[in-house]
Amino acid sequence: MLLYGDPGRQQLIQFAGGQVNFVSQVKTLQLVNTEEKELPKENCRKVDLVNGGSLLIRANWLSNNDLFDENYFMYNDEMDLMKRIQSRRKEVRIVFKAICLHHHDWSASNKQSYYLMYYYMMRNKILYWKKNKYKKAIVMSLFEYTIKFPVILRFCLKTSGIKLLYYYYLGLLHGYLGKKGKSEIFSNPF
């Protein structure tokens, strides 16, 4: 279970697993912003997805082909792994007593972190669809991110400025172009 790691929020659940549509990548996260004291009575729950940073997995389930896909570098790697695990009819569960603190500066002043996060999230969304041959999702995303431009622009301006819009769409472009792994753009951002 993932809790916020910053002081003052350490009793607040960031999320405790969730359900996901492995084609559309639409996620329904469980217990988001719930206080830890309000946890369900059960010890664990079956889910489709857990955060990769708080994941424990049995070594005997894995071969070299079953590890995190390094082409993603970060973001969406756990969705890809969860899809492969479940395709082998294995269950993924969230254990409520297993707690991991997620330290992240979510402030508007931490712009570089937002650039990095949205670049990789958008790029890897496209890479995931390409890897799994979800051609319809790729085509629909071109339409969606064109139509949603005004909403995305407003979000980016509100969150951390116009540069976030650049990294958001650069991530999409690099996904369509098939750029993989750790990007060099963050060693020398413009």
Side-chain angles (χ1 to χ4, degrees):
M1 186 171 63
L2 201 63
L3 272 63
Y4 290 104
D6 45 320
R9 293 175 73 186
Q10 290 182 345
Q11 303 303 313
L12 197 60
I13 299 167
Q14 186 173 352
F15 80 93
Q19 305 308 311
V20 65
N21 178 317
F22 286 108
V23 177
S24 69
Q25 300 184 56
V26 173
K27 303 169 194 162
T28 304
L29 303 179
Q30 297 180 68
L31 303 172
V32 174
N33 294 325
T34 302
E35 289 194 28
E36 187 180 3
K37 65 184 178 187
E38 297 174 27
L39 280 174
K41 301 290 184 225
E42 61 201 300
N43 293 327
C44 65
R45 182 182 289 170
K46 184 179 173 191
V47 295
D48 292 333
L49 182 71
V50 295
N51 179 279
S54 61
L55 174 67
L56 295 173
I57 190 165
R58 293 177 188 249
N60 63 349
W61 282 8
L62 302 174
S63 69
N64 286 338
N65 297 331
D66 291 327
L67 301 174
F68 283 110
D69 186 336
E70 293 180 7
N71 289 324
Y72 294 108
F73 179 65
M74 66 169 72
Y75 294 106
N76 252 29
D77 48 352
E78 65 268 277
M79 185 182 309
D80 178 65
L81 181 60
M82 299 296 116
K83 182 180 185 304
R84 288 183 278 133
I85 289 170
Q86 291 179 41
S87 72
R88 290 179 175 82
R89 305 216 186 272
K90 303 291 185 184
E91 284 189 0
V92 176
R93 293 187 170 267
I94 188 82
V95 177
F96 294 113
K97 290 183 181 179
I99 294 172
C100 185
L101 296 178
H102 185 205
H103 296 276
H104 185 283
D105 179 3
W106 297 100
S107 68
S109 63
N110 188 14
K111 293 179 180 186
Q112 186 69 19
S113 181
Y114 282 104
Y115 305 155
L116 184 88
M117 180 172 70
Y118 279 94
Y119 169 82
Y120 283 111
M121 281 191 336
M122 302 317 296
R123 184 197 74 175
N124 294 347
K125 180 181 267 197
I126 305 302
L127 291 178
Y128 173 88
W129 284 328
K130 290 176 84 172
K131 176 180 181 177
N132 291 289
K133 297 179 177 51
Y134 297 142
K135 293 176 183 173
K136 183 178 178 183
I138 296 168
V139 171
M140 293 301 295
S141 71
L142 285 166
F143 179 72
E144 177 185 356
Y145 294 117
T146 302
I147 296 299
K148 285 186 174 178
F149 179 81
V151 174
I152 295 167
L153 172 62
R154 190 170 72 206
F155 164 78
C156 290
L157 291 173
K158 181 180 175 185
T159 305
S160 64
I162 194 73
K163 228 168 145 177
L164 179 58
L165 184 72
Y166 169 78
Y167 284 110
Y168 191 102
Y169 280 95
L170 183 64
L172 286 170
L173 176 63
H174 284 181
Y176 294 126
L177 295 175
K179 294 192 178 206
K180 300 174 183 171
K182 184 177 180 183
S183 177
E184 298 298 318
I185 65 169
F186 292 100
S187 57
N188 293 310
F190 66 85

